[in-house]
mmCIF file of all heavy atoms in Angstrom:
data_model
loop_
_atom_site.group_PDB
_atom_site.id
_atom_site.type_symbol
_atom_site.label_atom_id
_atom_site.label_comp_id
_atom_site.label_asym_id
_atom_site.label_seq_id
_atom_site.Cartn_x
_atom_site.Cartn_y
_atom_site.Cartn_z
ATOM 1 N N GLY A 564 79.857 7.765 39.425
ATOM 2 C CA GLY A 564 79.286 7.781 38.079
ATOM 3 C C GLY A 564 78.632 9.107 37.761
ATOM 4 O O GLY A 564 78.751 9.624 36.644
ATOM 5 N N TRP A 565 77.933 9.702 38.743
ATOM 6 C CA TRP A 565 77.280 10.989 38.504
ATOM 7 C C TRP A 565 78.302 12.093 38.236
ATOM 8 O O TRP A 565 78.105 12.922 37.330
ATOM 9 C CB TRP A 565 76.425 11.368 39.724
ATOM 10 C CG TRP A 565 75.162 10.560 39.830
ATOM 11 C CD1 TRP A 565 74.685 9.654 38.935
ATOM 12 C CD2 TRP A 565 74.231 10.586 40.917
ATOM 13 N NE1 TRP A 565 73.506 9.114 39.381
ATOM 14 C CE2 TRP A 565 73.196 9.668 40.597
ATOM 15 C CE3 TRP A 565 74.164 11.279 42.112
ATOM 16 C CZ2 TRP A 565 72.117 9.443 41.441
ATOM 17 C CZ3 TRP A 565 73.089 11.058 42.954
ATOM 18 C CH2 TRP A 565 72.073 10.148 42.620
ATOM 19 N N PHE A 566 79.357 12.135 39.020
ATOM 20 C CA PHE A 566 80.355 13.192 38.816
ATOM 21 C C PHE A 566 81.035 13.045 37.455
ATOM 22 O O PHE A 566 81.359 14.052 36.818
ATOM 23 C CB PHE A 566 81.390 13.166 39.947
ATOM 24 C CG PHE A 566 80.980 13.937 41.167
ATOM 25 C CD1 PHE A 566 80.492 13.296 42.294
ATOM 26 C CD2 PHE A 566 81.083 15.326 41.177
ATOM 27 C CE1 PHE A 566 80.112 14.003 43.422
ATOM 28 C CE2 PHE A 566 80.704 16.047 42.303
ATOM 29 C CZ PHE A 566 80.213 15.391 43.429
ATOM 30 N N SER A 567 81.227 11.792 37.013
ATOM 31 C CA SER A 567 81.871 11.607 35.704
ATOM 32 C C SER A 567 80.957 12.033 34.568
ATOM 33 O O SER A 567 81.421 12.528 33.532
ATOM 34 C CB SER A 567 82.285 10.149 35.525
ATOM 35 O OG SER A 567 81.155 9.305 35.457
ATOM 36 N N ARG A 568 79.635 11.873 34.733
ATOM 37 C CA ARG A 568 78.698 12.205 33.651
ATOM 38 C C ARG A 568 78.173 13.625 33.737
ATOM 39 O O ARG A 568 77.923 14.260 32.721
ATOM 40 C CB ARG A 568 77.506 11.232 33.670
ATOM 41 C CG ARG A 568 77.863 9.791 33.343
ATOM 42 C CD ARG A 568 76.612 8.959 33.072
ATOM 43 N NE ARG A 568 75.677 8.953 34.180
ATOM 44 C CZ ARG A 568 75.735 8.100 35.202
ATOM 45 N NH1 ARG A 568 76.706 7.195 35.241
ATOM 46 N NH2 ARG A 568 74.839 8.144 36.174
ATOM 47 N N HIS A 569 77.996 14.140 34.975
ATOM 48 C CA HIS A 569 77.300 15.422 35.113
ATOM 49 C C HIS A 569 78.126 16.493 35.823
ATOM 50 O O HIS A 569 77.624 17.611 36.010
ATOM 51 C CB HIS A 569 75.990 15.213 35.894
ATOM 52 C CG HIS A 569 75.098 14.171 35.301
ATOM 53 N ND1 HIS A 569 74.509 14.318 34.070
ATOM 54 C CD2 HIS A 569 74.717 12.942 35.773
ATOM 55 C CE1 HIS A 569 73.770 13.233 33.806
ATOM 56 N NE2 HIS A 569 73.896 12.388 34.818
ATOM 57 N N GLY A 570 79.324 16.163 36.237
ATOM 58 C CA GLY A 570 80.144 17.165 36.917
ATOM 59 C C GLY A 570 80.528 18.302 35.986
ATOM 60 O O GLY A 570 80.899 18.082 34.828
ATOM 61 N N GLY A 571 80.416 19.525 36.461
ATOM 62 C CA GLY A 571 80.752 20.683 35.654
ATOM 63 C C GLY A 571 82.243 20.970 35.661
ATOM 64 O O GLY A 571 83.045 20.265 36.288
ATOM 65 N N SER A 572 82.624 22.040 34.964
ATOM 66 C CA SER A 572 84.035 22.422 34.902
ATOM 67 C C SER A 572 84.561 22.852 36.261
ATOM 68 O O SER A 572 85.774 22.835 36.507
ATOM 69 C CB SER A 572 84.215 23.564 33.893
ATOM 70 O OG SER A 572 83.385 24.670 34.239
ATOM 71 N N ASP A 573 83.653 23.249 37.167
ATOM 72 C CA ASP A 573 84.075 23.654 38.512
ATOM 73 C C ASP A 573 84.151 22.462 39.467
ATOM 74 O O ASP A 573 84.400 22.635 40.668
ATOM 75 C CB ASP A 573 83.104 24.703 39.076
ATOM 76 C CG ASP A 573 81.666 24.201 39.107
ATOM 77 O OD1 ASP A 573 81.420 23.058 38.660
ATOM 78 O OD2 ASP A 573 80.781 24.954 39.583
ATOM 79 N N GLY A 574 83.906 21.255 38.940
ATOM 80 C CA GLY A 574 83.989 20.060 39.767
ATOM 81 C C GLY A 574 82.740 19.775 40.577
ATOM 82 O O GLY A 574 82.736 18.850 41.393
ATOM 83 N N HIS A 575 81.685 20.547 40.375
ATOM 84 C CA HIS A 575 80.445 20.363 41.128
ATOM 85 C C HIS A 575 79.321 19.888 40.197
ATOM 86 O O HIS A 575 79.364 20.081 38.979
ATOM 87 C CB HIS A 575 80.017 21.672 41.800
ATOM 88 C CG HIS A 575 80.965 22.144 42.868
ATOM 89 N ND1 HIS A 575 81.067 21.538 44.097
ATOM 90 C CD2 HIS A 575 81.858 23.173 42.865
ATOM 91 C CE1 HIS A 575 81.964 22.159 44.830
ATOM 92 N NE2 HIS A 575 82.476 23.162 44.098
#
Side-chain angles (χ1 to χ4, degrees):
W565 286 354
F566 275 102
S567 66
R568 294 193 302 273
H569 305 294
S572 57
D573 57 358
H575 294 287

